[in-house]
Amino acid sequence: WILLLMTISTGAYTLMARMDVLEAHTVLWGTRARMAAEAGLNLAVLSLRDPDELTRWIPDGRPYKLRIQDAIVEIKVTDERGKLDINAVDELALQQLFLNNGLEDDQATKLAAAVKDWNDPDEMERPNGAEEETYLASGLSVGPGNHSFVMVEELLQVLGMSWELFLEIEPGLTVFSEAGGPDPAYAPVEALMALPDMTQEEALN
């Protein structure tokens, strides 16, 4: 019995020691990752303020990779002026955005009208749009907000907006710029797709 007790005690102590080692490694690597991320943020701020235009970072969402000791950090900076403000953009630009992301003409027209019906203050349904009656007829218990979008994620509540389409366009959207269109100098690919006659190949270039 004494031998059995000693075996159990030794096993318990070994397991506790192993758990302590794993916990220490987790804390160590977590701290390294956090410090690398903070270093990346500080380097991004410095690079955006670089007086040399040739080395200054461009805040259009492109990735910059840096090695910080033994960690590879990827940093993306996007100026809000380069994004498409879903509160200020017009219906035609929304149609263009949806068309360039794979929707058919009638789908893009209806979805663009539904987005504008969501953030206008009235209950009057525009052509191809969607107000409360249309939402209820579609089996939804909640209608449009009839106010400005507070966050981009509210687009998911608009009738006709799919999760897949939202994931495609979300990086190029904002509710903060208050501009009718994206600034091409800072626009990521997802925002450039709302410009007239823009193709994906041209946006990527």
Side-chain angles (χ1 to χ4, degrees), residues 84 89-98 112 180-182 193-196:
L84 191 71
V89 66
D90 61 38
E91 200 169 326
L92 289 175
L94 285 172
Q95 287 181 29
Q96 188 67 39
L97 176 66
F98 300 145
M193 298 298 279
L195 298 178

Side-chain angles (χ1 to χ4, degrees), residues 14-26:
T14 302
L15 180 61
M16 288 176 62
R18 177 65 177 164
M19 294 291 289
D20 287 343
V21 170
L22 289 174
E23 185 178 356
H25 277 296
T26 301

Side-chain angles (χ1 to χ4, degrees), residues 4 11 13 30 61 64 73 83-84 113 134 145 149-150 153 162 198:
L4 180 61
Y13 286 131
Y64 291 91
V73 180
K83 294 184 179 182
L84 191 71
T134 307
F149 290 99
V150 178
E153 287 75 14
S162 67
M198 179 64 68

